[in-house]
């Protein structure tokens, strides 16, 4: 068959087309790079690959996976907060990241109860409430000392038993405060009239029941040192 005949040209064209199809099918796709890196456990690189191709949901999922494996709670919180900020607004991945971050913030607040700022606790409580995590929101309001909002959230969530426990705690707390006011007045009155031993005895009685009352303990040490 003569060189350059129509048949040969057509065959060559067909082979060229077939080659291009095979090349497209076998060449790694840019979008597949993130999945490959993720499968290899290279999560940081997978995250960057997903971000570079605009696959935000996949990028957020990788961040959440990284957060789950992060042992340090504060670094884990940072990863969750980045995931929440990266996720498309209103998406399920955004909600998941925000809920996990809020839950972790509550865990940290529990462990740092003595040093947690009231404003931070209230901000957390409001965020938990917005995320419809009502039990957690009630707890955060309680940690902040906002019993009014704590009661409101418990009522809204139908947590009747928890509400009853809260009301009972409030009654006991008010009774203890009144009892302390009476004891504190007795202690100061005894000290004022010079009954030092009786004053110390009353301090010891109170501290036997409430050893963490540093104010009365300090007062007793002052009386004893005179």
């Amino acid at each position: 068959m003569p060189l350059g005949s129509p048949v040969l040209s057509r065959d060559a064209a067909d082979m060229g087309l077939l080659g291009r199809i095979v090349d497209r099918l076998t060449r790694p796709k840019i979008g597949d790079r993130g999945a490959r890196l993720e499968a290899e456990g290279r999560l940081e690189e997978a995250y960057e690959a997903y971000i570079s191709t605009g696959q935000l949901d996949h990028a957020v999922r990788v961040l959440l996976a990284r957060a789950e494996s992060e042992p340090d709670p504060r670094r884990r919180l940072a990863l969750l907060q980045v995931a929440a900020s990266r996720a498309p607004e209103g998406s399920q991945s955004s909600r998941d990241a925000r809920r996990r971050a809020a839950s972790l913030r509550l865990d940290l607040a529990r462990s740092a109860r003595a040093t947690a700022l009231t404003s931070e606790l209230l901000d957390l409580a409001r965020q938990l409430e917005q995320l419809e995590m009502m039990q957690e929101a009630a707890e955060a309001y309680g940690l902040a000392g906002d019993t009014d909002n704590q009661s409101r959230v418990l009522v809204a969530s139908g947590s009747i038993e928890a509400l009853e426990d809260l009301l009972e705690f409030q009654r006991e707390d008010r009774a203890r405060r009144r009892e302390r006011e009476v004891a504190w007045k007795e202690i100061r009155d005894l000290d004022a009239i010079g009954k030092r031993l009786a004053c110390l005895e009353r301090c010891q009685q109170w501290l036997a029941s409430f050893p963490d009352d540093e104010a009365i303990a300090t007062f007793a040490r002052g009386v004893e040192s005179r």
Side-chain angles (χ1 to χ4, degrees), residues 4 28 38-39 46 58 74 76 87 92 100-101 118 144-145 148 166 168 175 180 183-184 190 194 202 219:
E38 185 180 357
H58 289 307
R74 297 199 176 277
R76 186 160 68 251
Q92 185 60 45
R100 292 193 202 183
T118 300
D148 289 341
L166 172 62
E168 179 61 26
R180 187 185 186 280
W184 189 224
L190 288 169
R202 187 68 183 94
F219 186 85

Side-chain angles (χ1 to χ4, degrees), residues 117-186:
L117 296 176
T118 300
S119 59
E120 292 178 351
L121 290 170
L122 289 174
D123 175 69
L124 173 59
R126 287 188 287 268
Q127 184 180 2
L128 287 163
E129 192 173 354
Q130 289 171 358
L131 292 168
E132 299 178 346
M133 302 171 69
M134 306 306 279
Q135 291 284 353
E136 293 85 349
E139 182 180 354
Y141 278 125
L143 290 174
D146 187 345
T147 54
D148 289 341
N149 273 315
Q150 185 181 20
S151 300
R152 175 183 59 78
V153 171
L154 288 173
V155 170
S157 63
S159 303
I160 304 303
E161 185 175 345
L163 178 60
E164 290 175 347
D165 290 343
L166 172 62
L167 294 174
E168 179 61 26
F169 170 79
Q170 289 175 335
R171 282 192 292 270
E172 291 176 354
D173 185 59
R174 284 193 296 269
R176 190 186 73 80
R177 288 175 184 273
R178 286 194 297 269
E179 185 182 357
R180 187 185 186 280
E181 288 174 5
V182 171
W184 189 224
K185 184 177 184 305
E186 290 176 358

Side-chain angles (χ1 to χ4, degrees), residues 10-220:
R10 188 166 56 252
D11 288 345
D14 289 344
M15 289 300 294
L17 176 61
L18 179 60
R20 288 193 297 274
I21 292 173
V22 170
D23 184 58
R24 280 200 300 269
L25 291 175
T26 57
R27 183 191 307 149
K29 297 178 182 177
I30 293 176
D32 290 340
R33 183 168 178 269
R36 177 173 56 79
L37 291 168
E38 185 180 357
E40 293 173 0
R42 297 158 64 182
L43 297 184
E44 290 189 19
E45 294 173 78
Y47 169 76
E48 295 297 339
Y50 284 135
I51 287 293
S52 67
T53 54
Q55 300 180 79
L56 295 182
D57 278 333
H58 289 307
V60 170
R61 179 172 49 74
V62 167
L63 278 179
L64 293 177
R66 282 186 61 197
E68 286 298 315
S69 62
E70 173 55 55
D72 183 88
R74 297 199 176 277
R75 291 187 63 184
R76 186 160 68 251
L77 177 60
L79 287 169
L80 291 170
Q81 289 172 332
V82 171
S85 68
R86 285 286 193 175
E89 186 69 28
S91 66
Q92 185 60 45
S93 57
S94 172
R95 183 175 177 81
D96 288 346
R98 290 170 61 209
R99 286 174 68 93
R100 292 193 202 183
S103 181
L104 180 53
R105 283 182 64 194
L106 181 59
D107 288 341
L108 292 171
R110 290 190 192 106
S111 61
R113 183 170 184 173
T115 58
L117 296 176
T118 300
S119 59
E120 292 178 351
L121 290 170
L122 289 174
D123 175 69
L124 173 59
R126 287 188 287 268
Q127 184 180 2
L128 287 163
E129 192 173 354
Q130 289 171 358
L131 292 168
E132 299 178 346
M133 302 171 69
M134 306 306 279
Q135 291 284 353
E136 293 85 349
E139 182 180 354
Y141 278 125
L143 290 174
D146 187 345
T147 54
D148 289 341
N149 273 315
Q150 185 181 20
S151 300
R152 175 183 59 78
V153 171
L154 288 173
V155 170
S157 63
S159 303
I160 304 303
E161 185 175 345
L163 178 60
E164 290 175 347
D165 290 343
L166 172 62
L167 294 174
E168 179 61 26
F169 170 79
Q170 289 175 335
R171 282 192 292 270
E172 291 176 354
D173 185 59
R174 284 193 296 269
R176 190 186 73 80
R177 288 175 184 273
R178 286 194 297 269
E179 185 182 357
R180 187 185 186 280
E181 288 174 5
V182 171
W184 189 224
K185 184 177 184 305
E186 290 176 358
I187 289 168
R188 286 181 299 179
D189 287 347
L190 288 169
D191 181 58
I193 61 177
K195 293 189 175 182
R196 177 173 170 274
L197 293 179
C199 174
L200 287 173
E201 184 179 354
R202 187 68 183 94
C203 288
Q204 290 165 0
Q205 288 173 353
W206 178 261
L207 292 171
S209 299
F210 304 100
D212 295 331
D213 194 327
E214 188 57 33
I216 290 182
T218 300
F219 186 85

